[in-house]
Amino acid sequence: RSYFFFCLFLYFLNFLVFFFPCLFFNDLIKKDIFNYYPIAGPGYYLFLLFYLVIIPRSLYLLIKNYLKRTGLEAKQIKYLAIAAFSGFIGGGTAFLLTFNIPIAPYGIIFFTFYPIIVAYAITKHHLFDIKVIVTELLTFGIWVFVLARAVLADTLQEMLISGSLLLFLIISGILLIRSVLQEVRSREKIEKLAKELGAANERLKEL
């Protein structure tokens, strides 16, 4: 349920950015080494609040789960936490110049480590299930396509139709992703039980 409302909030935030950009950016001006850099509008503070609340909580949950896990799961969470930390800290430096703090966002370079670390964890430690990744990419791709159609619509009727379709696709997409995640978790439990049963059989043979 929390995942559902989180996705709805992101949809609402993206809706505001696309249709009411003036709420987030008052203007684009030259700052430091950048020819065009945004001046924060009132809506940008909402985005900053979202960043300051969600990011620390995400890192906290990762560390909390890392301390509870062992073996492969601990390694997976460790790499994901490192990648998330580098990405969030690097991306967070972009806020400084937006709020007229004279520090250029050179830390953004740390964001480049995020996909590298995640890709390494996927290939080396099986971080994510490929089926889940493909489902999410296809779902998000459809969302972006329909959202673009809504934004570029020529008439209000087309915009409303595309918007309604997008809302339906978001709800159905979330349900689809949840069902795939449940399937993957069930398969992992079965594999774990099979390994435990195999280990038990080995111990019985030794006896």
Side-chain angles (χ1 to χ4, degrees):
R1 183 177 297 178
S2 59
Y3 181 75
F4 173 77
F5 286 111
F6 176 72
C7 289
L8 283 183
F9 175 77
L10 288 182
Y11 168 72
F12 175 71
L13 199 61
N14 286 320
F15 175 84
L16 291 178
V17 172
F18 275 103
F19 290 97
F20 305 99
C22 57
L23 292 176
F24 291 84
F25 308 109
N26 289 331
D27 199 0
L28 293 172
I29 63 173
K30 180 176 176 58
K31 287 187 179 182
D32 201 86
I33 62 174
F34 303 96
N35 291 325
Y36 301 99
Y37 212 85
I39 297 178
Y44 200 84
Y45 291 90
L46 176 63
F47 175 64
L48 177 62
L49 177 63
F50 169 80
Y51 193 92
L52 293 176
V53 171
I54 296 298
I55 303 312
R57 175 163 175 77
S58 301
L59 292 173
Y60 164 75
L61 292 175
L62 284 171
I63 295 172
K64 181 180 178 181
N65 279 278
Y66 170 72
L67 296 175
K68 292 180 179 179
R69 300 292 191 273
T70 57
L72 180 60
E73 287 186 345
K75 289 182 179 180
Q76 292 173 337
I77 296 174
K78 179 182 70 174
Y79 281 106
L80 184 57
I82 294 172
F85 182 78
S86 63
F88 294 147
I89 294 298
T93 60
F95 288 114
L96 301 175
L97 209 55
T98 304
F99 292 99
N100 297 317
I101 300 174
I103 300 176
Y106 297 118
I108 200 72
I109 192 172
F110 289 105
F111 186 80
T112 59
F113 293 111
Y114 179 86
I116 296 173
I117 297 172
V118 170
Y120 171 79
I122 290 174
T123 56
K124 185 72 175 179
H125 300 289
H126 309 288
L127 176 59
F128 299 123
D129 191 278
I130 298 299
K131 185 176 182 179
V132 176
I133 296 176
V134 171
T135 302
E136 291 180 342
L137 287 177
L138 289 175
T139 302
F140 295 152
I142 293 172
W143 290 353
V144 171
F145 174 75
V146 178
L147 178 61
R149 283 180 57 89
V151 173
L152 301 175
D154 295 327
T155 64
L156 178 61
Q157 182 179 5
E158 290 181 6
M159 185 182 296
L160 291 175
I161 292 174
S162 297
S164 301
L165 177 61
L166 178 60
L167 182 60
F168 169 76
L169 290 173
I170 287 176
I171 296 173
S172 59
I174 292 172
L175 294 175
L176 174 62
I177 293 172
R178 289 180 62 182
S179 66
V180 173
L181 287 171
Q182 289 176 355
E183 178 186 340
V184 170
R185 292 193 188 103
S186 299
R187 188 184 65 199
E188 289 175 348
K189 288 180 180 179
I190 293 173
E191 290 176 353
K192 184 178 179 180
L193 289 173
K195 289 181 180 178
E196 292 176 352
L197 182 60
N201 287 333
E202 290 296 327
R203 287 195 293 270
L204 287 174
K205 290 178 180 178
E206 292 176 0
L207 295 176

